[in-house]
Amino acid sequence: MTDGVHAVVATTAAVLDAAGGVAAARALLAPYERARADRLHRSTDRDDHVAAHVLVRRVAAALLADGGREVEARDLVLEQRCSGCGGDDHGRPAIAGVPGVHVSLSHARGWVAAGAARGPCGIDVEPVAPVAPLQGVLSPGEAAGIADLGPDARDAAFLRLWTRKEAVVKTGAASLDDLARLDVRGDEPLPGVRVRDLDAPPEVVAAVATVG
Ligand SMILES: CC(C)(COP(=O)(O)OP(=O)(O)OC[C@H]1O[C@@H](n2cnc3c(N)ncnc32)[C@H](O)[C@@H]1OP(=O)(O)O)[C@@H](O)C(=O)NCCC(=O)NCCS
C-alpha cells in the first residue's frame, strides 16, 4: 500500500460468506442499494452488486482505522450521485458524512473490488476471458504493443489496459471519451494520477488509480 489506498479484490462468494450470507450482507446496505440490486435480472448480478457494496464499506472502515478512527463497516452509509442525470441511487460512490475518504467499487461476474483513499480513487476488476479488443479504446502505442501477442496473452493484456483506464476514469481525472488518448502503460498516465495493477488470482485482472 505505497500509495495510501486500501484496495481489495475478492470473489463475490468470499465477501458474502464473510458477511454471514447474502441476507446478512443485504442488511448492511441502504434501501436504495437493495432496490437497485433487486432490479437486476440475474441472481449472480444481484449477489455481485451486494458484495461490492459491502466490500467498499469494509475498505473504508480499514482506511479510517489506519487513521485511528475505529468504525464498524456496518455503520458506514454509502451515498451515490450520478453526474449525468443527477440521480441519487447510482453514480460515483461516497461515504456519507466522511468527506475525507474517497471510495470506488467494481463488480464483474463473480468478482468484486473496492478501494478507499484520502484522495480521489478508482478501481476496476475484470475476469480474464476471450475478448474482442474494442475499437477506439487503446492509444496507438497500446494497440501496437499487444498486436503481436497470441490470443490468450492479448486478451489478458487488453483487459489489463482496460481495467487501468477504467480505474483512471473512475477517479474523475478522465472521461470515457478520453480512452483512446489515455496511455496507461506507465504508472503516471496523467500529471498527478497514478495507476497500478492489483495483485489478483490469474483468472482476473484489476487496477487501482489515485489522484494527488
Ligand atoms: C463508471 C463506469 C464506466 C463503470 O462501469 P463498469 O466498468 O461497467 O462497472 P464496474 O462494476 O466496474 O463499476 C460500476 C461502479 O462504478 C461506480 N460508478 C458509477 N459511475 C461512476 C462515476 N461517474 N465515477 C466513479 N465511479 C462510478 C458505481 O459504484 C458503480 O457500481 P454500482 O452501480 O453498483 O453502484 C460506468 O458506470 C459508466 O459508464 N458511467 C458513465 C455513464 C453514466 O453515468 N450513465 C448513467 C447515466 S444516468
Side-chain angles (χ1 to χ4, degrees):
M1 196 184 64
T2 53
D3 46 13
V5 60
H6 276 260
V8 174
V9 181
T11 62
T12 291
V15 174
L16 295 180
D17 278 355
V22 67
R26 279 174 57 90
L28 299 174
L29 307 190
Y32 85 86
E33 293 172 284
R34 288 196 292 270
R36 280 201 55 223
D38 291 343
R39 288 200 293 274
L40 298 170
H41 294 300
R42 287 191 301 221
S43 68
T44 49
D45 291 342
R46 292 195 290 275
D47 288 352
D48 291 346
H49 180 100
V50 170
H53 285 240
V54 168
L55 187 62
V56 76
R57 287 162 162 83
R58 269 179 35 199
V59 293
L63 183 78
L64 285 165
D66 261 5
R69 183 172 162 192
E70 293 297 334
V71 53
E72 296 289 337
R74 65 170 170 268
D75 293 329
L76 296 176
V77 175
L78 197 76
E79 57 187 14
Q80 292 181 255
R81 176 71 65 181
C82 176
S83 56
C85 70
D88 60 4
D89 70 348
H90 63 282
R92 178 186 301 280
I95 302 294
V98 194
V101 169
H102 297 251
V103 294
S104 183
L105 64 89
S106 179
H107 37 78
R109 302 191 299 286
W111 289 88
V112 292
R118 294 286 174 185
C121 64
I123 200 161
D124 197 58
V125 63
E126 291 288 342
V128 176
V131 59
L134 303 167
Q135 294 298 316
V137 164
L138 301 185
S139 70
E142 291 169 339
I146 70 170
D148 294 335
L149 300 175
D152 290 350
R154 193 172 59 232
D155 290 341
F158 173 78
L159 288 169
R160 194 157 288 116
L161 293 167
W162 174 255
T163 54
R164 290 167 75 93
K165 284 173 193 260
E166 289 257 309
V168 171
V169 166
K170 287 181 180 176
T171 67
S175 81
L176 291 173
D177 295 335
D178 300 323
L179 292 183
R181 286 186 296 274
L182 182 66
D183 192 316
V184 292
R185 288 174 293 172
D187 60 5
E188 191 170 355
L190 294 169
V193 179
R194 303 193 74 79
V195 65
R196 63 179 167 91
D197 298 332
L198 286 168
D199 287 337
E203 57 266 44
V204 286
V205 293
V208 65
T210 51
V211 179

